[in-house]
Amino acid sequence: MYFSKLLSAVALCSSASALYVPGDADVNVQNKDQTPTALPEEPLNGTAYRPIMHATPSQGWMNDPNGLWYDTKEEVYHVYYQYNPADTVWGVPLYWGHLTSKDLQSWEDHGVAIRPPRNDSGAFSGSAVVDTNNTSGFFNDSIDPAQRVVAIWTYNTPESETQWISYSLDGGYTFIDYANNPVLDLNSTQFRDPKVIWHEESQKWIMTVVLSHKYAIQIYSSDNLREWTLESEFKNHGLLGFQYECPGLAKIPVSKPANCEMQLKDVSYPVKNNTDYVWVMFLAINPGGPQGGNFNQYFIGDFDGKKFTPFSEQTRFLDHGKDFYAFQGFYNSQFKDSFLGIAWASNWQYSAYVPTNPWRSSMSLARKLTVRPYNPTPESVQLVLNSEPVFVPEDMEFNSNFSSWKDLKLTSGKEEVFEFGSTPLGAFEFNLTFTANDTGLSKHSLGDFSIYLEGAKDPDEYLRLGYSTQAADFFFDRGNSKVSFVRENPFFTNKMAINMEPWEILAPGVKVFKVRAIFDVDILELFFNEGTAASTNTYFLTEENHPASLKFKTSVDNVFTVNELSLRQLTF
Amino acid sequence: MYFSKLLSAVALCSSASALYVPGDADVNVQNKDQTPTALPEEPLNGTAYRPIMHATPSQGWMNDPNGLWYDTKEEVYHVYYQYNPADTVWGVPLYWGHLTSKDLQSWEDHGVAIRPPRNDSGAFSGSAVVDTNNTSGFFNDSIDPAQRVVAIWTYNTPESETQWISYSLDGGYTFIDYANNPVLDLNSTQFRDPKVIWHEESQKWIMTVVLSHKYAIQIYSSDNLREWTLESEFKNHGLLGFQYECPGLAKIPVSKPANCEMQLKDVSYPVKNNTDYVWVMFLAINPGGPQGGNFNQYFIGDFDGKKFTPFSEQTRFLDHGKDFYAFQGFYNSQFKDSFLGIAWASNWQYSAYVPTNPWRSSMSLARKLTVRPYNPTPESVQLVLNSEPVFVPEDMEFNSNFSSWKDLKLTSGKEEVFEFGSTPLGAFEFNLTFTANDTGLSKHSLGDFSIYLEGAKDPDEYLRLGYSTQAADFFFDRGNSKVSFVRENPFFTNKMAINMEPWEILAPGVKVFKVRAIFDVDILELFFNEGTAASTNTYFLTEENHPASLKFKTSVDNVFTVNELSLRQLTF
């Protein structure tokens, strides 16, 4: 048994006084000090790649989000994460790092929250619950019911993976390990990532946890978080990849798109009840994702307290980009009409080589999820998770200069340039509604509407995104960069695409699309048609070569109209 | 009703005397002449991009393979395909073109085989059967039972899609439409791609056909190919994409990997019988494939003559590359222990813009498929389709110069170059077995074994493929090219990856991998671990800048050993 101690808060974006300490993290790590020392990457600086809104550790390595919970008393979000403070690559001992935020865009770093007992081991991924009614017996009346936090995590050693629980008596800043850990031991080396929720209907705790190499999500129930009963397995579903990781079960509110009247009863397969929620099973795989590396999928169905039953046998993408993994939902949040969660915004294929310093990886923005009926074709109504990013203040003003560009017809001979109008800092957002009319367009024509974001200091570097009527896909190209990592790493795919069906069809061949794009220094989150689909991808132009404008180009005439564009720099 | 006429055979690789005919195919096509006239792409030549072994049309546009069958009497393979002879992009009227081959690497072009009745319509995708017992009544005794060919295809008009049948009295060169077409009409515009097989057990014809926008594969039965009874639907399975296309049901022999003793009974989910075959359902989607554009998936299960029941609810990749679509199996073949099929080797995202001339697109090589048990992890036995390319002669000699390179240890300071030893013509094959020992490798190291294929005329253009121990993925990068299409088309993804688990584990961390790579001018087919996985991708270096050597490089010492390399140019 061990006790974690409270680290004094460290401002996340402070300049880290990192020292280079030679040695291989896998072999030599003996770092028992809770003030981590990071190893900078060799020639590059990398410090300017830190996103403004996306959660990052002050220094060191970060992967999966863990133990997400919301303190309803203090109105604070707690984000723990897989943390190697001793290096900018993964390694043991692996800790739970700890960040907090009130607005989901500025983050306070509290260092290590949970540490593993041995230096060759890890406090691997897991979740947190608020044990309001003290079912665990860990709390007395001095602990506010809103802060009775229990973390459930995987203790990984070279010999085994078992499930441990730890509780906090100080509102989630330090944890005490339960004396009789582990609470689950199957004598397996591939048994991990417990996610626990409270199941109101059966008045039980429910844990999903994977037998990674058996492609099985096990579902356990418990009255007290200490003793667990196996209820069922959800096995060999979806894309298997090499292994299952980070499962999660969530009761998610049903919403309706603004422009339609579809109901659950209209869905093209039997849906259990026409109620105001459905159950969603999240599942991550790595490696073996369809675009290479890691991938997050989900299933929609019903959960009866023992067994998850999907409504249909589909494989769905939680996000279509390369940098979105290990999604986890928050226990509690301030949002009652949606489900809040966060993912790791990187890819195991290349996460150890990205040129950031003295840390590696960020989280995604927090996302509000709902399930909604939607018709990808006129003949089918499907259920889909709808994603909406959240950060505060959401009501930050958009640049009013852009109102004059409403209903702008694009022509092949003319570039339309929208300048930000102030010093570019790398964080900005645009919302775009455009119409494509491809009736009569030659099949020889690409029919693209391209948005170029050139670096202000060196326009030879640029991001390109856009839409092609012929491919019916939205695209993002992050390959036009002078950064050697971008050019040379064989897994940093340049051109990503996502099928985007129209938000609205005004007439045959006349289609309306909506895109929301949030850029944050080295990460782009795209949301299509008010969130029907999302795509998250990192990018690296030369440091501080931030774009200062959007440049709209098209190869065709009389096809594209910009109906509405709003743009703002995000400078909090 | 109409009659197709026999076209005199045209050698496929003859230099086409193409004339430029201005005009947009979608608007002006009135070409009723069966000698197609192709429209060359503007500035490029493109003629040298023609693959040597992969089937291409002499000129014009090609997409899905159709009506694949093998004439057991003449020992000839018939490959029909979606064909627009009037242009190098898709357009109506759309025909069935026709190619034949005896060796699956040299192809004879017979021009149009099936034409649609109207100029605004298409003879869309479908299949062919050999009606040996004349169940259809179309044949008399003068037609050899081995050549009683009936084509089942979709007649597409702006108003509807219906299923038609046509029969051939000359061994598949010309077809006569059945007088009472359509044989299936659901009053739908999205009902297509019938694939018919003979179901021995129930002594019936079985058709799979999609209601594309309903995400449904319908299964029909028939005694005579003319009257069809709906038996069941397989609906909302796998990745839906925007629409379902090109379904197929096949009884596929079970094989065992050479290095294992796994049986069907060892599989991690219930398999109906421990017999010598299982049933496979093929399904194509486009757009909305996981890597963008089109995608071919499959399901493994049982078929009782009425209903297909998958053994598990997994989504599987038939091929992991971007250029493999609309796979179809042959009716009959010379191979009794495997199932033979061919796919279209392009992607709708960019197929209309590739710089070939005066044709666009090729087929994949023919592949022999078997189903085999395999253990992606030590804790799971999965069923997987195993792919092996077929072309004759398979016993062409490998370059004997390479025997001396057996058991070559790679070091970071030294490139190993393997020259072909004769004028490069663009078609070559290598077989590689290598060992990776990543014990003790720093997490900071990419740990790559890269194979560079530089252009002989301009080494600044190159293909790169290889493996990284850290990502556990094989990669292929086709982006280092001066061809403007490669650089500028936003969908021509540069870096593809495929998760490749070891063929054999010799000791902890010491893993053996096998790769077979077949390059054919502008298309690369990769097969991993004797066919457990495949990846097909087109590529474009500057015309005739063919690679003349393999250059092996690694960034790490004491990790990679080349156990065996064989190499041959493919010059038939």
Side-chain angles (χ1 to χ4, degrees), chain B residues 9 16 38 96 139 154 157 162 208 224 232 244 286 308 313 330 366 371 395 398 444 455 481 485 501 514 545:
Chain B
W96 276 30
F139 305 98
T154 298
T157 69
T162 56
T208 45
N224 55 17
S232 67
Y244 274 12
N286 178 66
F308 174 75
E313 291 296 350
F330 279 88
V371 170
D395 57 355
F398 282 83
H444 286 277
S481 165
F485 163 77
E501 295 309 318
K514 301 178 84 162
N545 189 24

Side-chain angles (χ1 to χ4, degrees), chain B residues 516-560:
Chain B
R516 181 177 180 185
I518 301 171
F519 298 78
D520 190 6
V521 183
D522 60 7
I523 183 166
L524 166 60
E525 300 200 33
L526 287 164
F527 300 89
F528 302 99
N529 293 336
E530 302 198 349
T532 310
S535 181
T536 301
N537 293 288
T538 52
Y539 59 88
F540 297 94
L541 304 181
T542 297
E543 274 185 278
E544 299 189 335
N545 189 24
H546 303 305
S549 65
L550 307 181
K551 191 176 280 184
F552 288 8
K553 293 189 197 182
T554 181
S555 55
V556 284
D557 295 324
N558 304 317
V559 174
F560 293 105

Side-chain angles (χ1 to χ4, degrees), chain A residues 543-562:
Chain A
E543 275 185 276
E544 298 190 337
N545 189 24
H546 303 307
S549 65
L550 306 181
K551 192 176 279 184
F552 287 7
K553 293 189 196 182
T554 181
S555 55
V556 286
D557 295 325
N558 305 315
V559 174
F560 292 105
T561 305
V562 175

Side-chain angles (χ1 to χ4, degrees), chain A residues 87 213 236 238 240 313-315 349 353 377 382 443-445 464 470 473 486 488-489 493-495, chain B residues 26 87 213 236 238 240 313-315 349 353 377 382 444-445 464 470 473 486 488-489 493-495:
Chain A
D87 205 342
H213 287 190
N236 294 305
L240 302 194
E313 291 296 349
Q314 288 165 247
T315 298
Q349 284 189 322
Y353 320 110
T377 73
Q382 296 288 332
K443 293 283 179 198
H444 287 277
S445 170
R464 179 184 176 194
Q470 308 279 27
D473 282 346
V486 173
E488 289 163 21
N489 184 284
T493 312
N494 60 349
K495 295 168 183 171
Chain B
D26 294 347
D87 205 342
H213 287 189
N236 293 307
L240 302 193
E313 291 296 350
Q314 288 166 247
T315 298
Q349 284 188 322
Y353 320 110
T377 73
Q382 296 289 332
H444 286 277
S445 170
R464 179 184 176 193
Q470 308 279 28
D473 281 347
V486 173
E488 289 164 20
N489 183 284
T493 313
N494 60 350
K495 295 167 185 173

